Structure formats: C-alpha cells, structure tokens
Amino acid sequence: MSGAMVSEPSSRYIAKVPPGISNCQTYRFSHQIARAISTSSSLRSNEGHGLEQGSLIYQGPATSLVKGVKFFSLSTSVLTLGILPLIFSQAGNNTLNYIGGLFAVVIFVTPVLLHTISRTYVTKLYYNSHRDTYSAFTLTLFLRDRLTEFAPSDIEVPGVANLFTTFKVRGKALLVDPAAFPNPNDYNHLMGYDKFEQFNPEDIVKKIEKEKESQQKE
C-alpha cells in the first residue's frame, strides 16, 4: 500500500445512531434539532428586546391609514419619476414643459408635506416599569420605524394645545390619542397627571391651626 494511512476519527466525535434508522432519517432529525435551536435563540433574543422596551401600552389607531397614505404618495412619486423624462422628451412646447415641471413639483412635495404632518404621530409606545422609561416609535419619510427613548423627566407638556403635539421630548414633538390607551392610568402617568397631590380640606385646616398655635406661643 503506497498511500498514507488515514486515521479513523475518534469515536467521541461520532454521534451514535440507533439501529434501524437510515442516514436520511438521521439527517432530517439533525436538521430539526438545528431549527429548534435557532428558533429558541431567536425567541430569547426577541424576549430580551421586549424586556428592554417594556410592555406595549399604546398603539396608534390611525397607523394603518398613515402608512397607506404615505405609501401611496411615495409610490406615485416614484412612478412619476420614471414617466417624467418621457414626457419632457416628447413635449416640444414650452407650455407643456412648464405644466410638466409644475406637476413634478407637486408630486414630489406631497410626500414631504405628508411626512411633516405625520412625523409626530406615535404608532407604538412601550413602557418599562423597572426603569420607568418609555420607547416611542414614529415613521420616517420612507416608512421605517424611528425609536425615541425617554424618561418622564424628559417630557414637557405644552401650555398651549397643538393639533399635532401632545407632549415634547427634549424639544421633539410627539402625538398620541388619549382615548386609545387601554389603561387610562398609563396616559396619566405619561403626562404626569398622577403626580398631583390630592389635598384633603381637613388636613389643610389642621395645618393652619397648628401654624396659628405656633405663632401664638412665640
């Protein structure tokens, strides 16, 4: 024998297959185990991400409508971008070029205008009770989620009511629908309404009497 001797792999690295099971069945079984491990890892990752953000306390009731309108506007703009060169190439009249340019401006300004109006709209709001922090999601111009994390101390309630602003976080305006909170206490805690002390008239009278007594003794 001219070839080098090939040593057999150690038995501790070879999985023992029960008798009566074919190689195909062994491969399928191994594949199922690998899928189960990857699925459990993914679930653990998602659970950790959810624990970091906390529990979902609010979902914007108009989220689907906002996404639909913005998607329609963006798709129309993209379609117009592909058609405009053809229109300008075939339009030999200056009037047609002017109308086409005006039409293009309107088409491309519409998505920006819609984004300006809806950029403050909160689609989802999470609350982490352990850290007392919030995670708010809004939509970008291209319908991607934008995360804003903040604490109650970062919230500023404007003195004048605004149609597109419920509260501000470090100067950034956010809009929520108070009626869409399943638990009204979550909205009260968000806005800081639960911090107001409930004064008892009897306690106030007792404090005044104590102050009078202390002044008379002096």
Side-chain angles (χ1 to χ4, degrees), residues 144-156:
R144 297 181 65 87
D145 288 332
R146 175 176 293 169
L147 173 62
T148 302
E149 294 182 337
F150 56 94
S153 58
D154 300 324
I155 299 175
E156 177 187 355

Side-chain angles (χ1 to χ4, degrees), residues 27-101:
Y27 171 77
R28 291 177 180 176
F29 181 71
S30 302
H31 182 63
Q32 291 176 355
I33 293 178
R35 288 184 61 184
I37 294 174
S38 62
T39 303
S40 61
S41 301
S42 176
L43 288 175
R44 285 195 297 269
S45 176
N46 291 335
E47 288 176 357
H49 188 61
L51 289 174
E52 182 179 354
Q53 292 180 351
S55 57
L56 180 65
I57 62 172
Y58 171 84
Q59 282 184 305
T63 300
S64 299
L65 178 62
V66 172
K67 287 184 177 181
V69 172
K70 293 186 70 173
F71 177 77
F72 176 77
S73 179
L74 287 172
S75 60
T76 304
S77 299
V78 172
L79 181 63
T80 305
L81 180 63
I83 295 177
L84 277 179
L86 180 62
I87 295 177
F88 286 128
S89 64
Q90 295 182 356
N93 193 342
N94 292 332
T95 304
L96 293 178
N97 289 331
Y98 176 77
I99 295 174

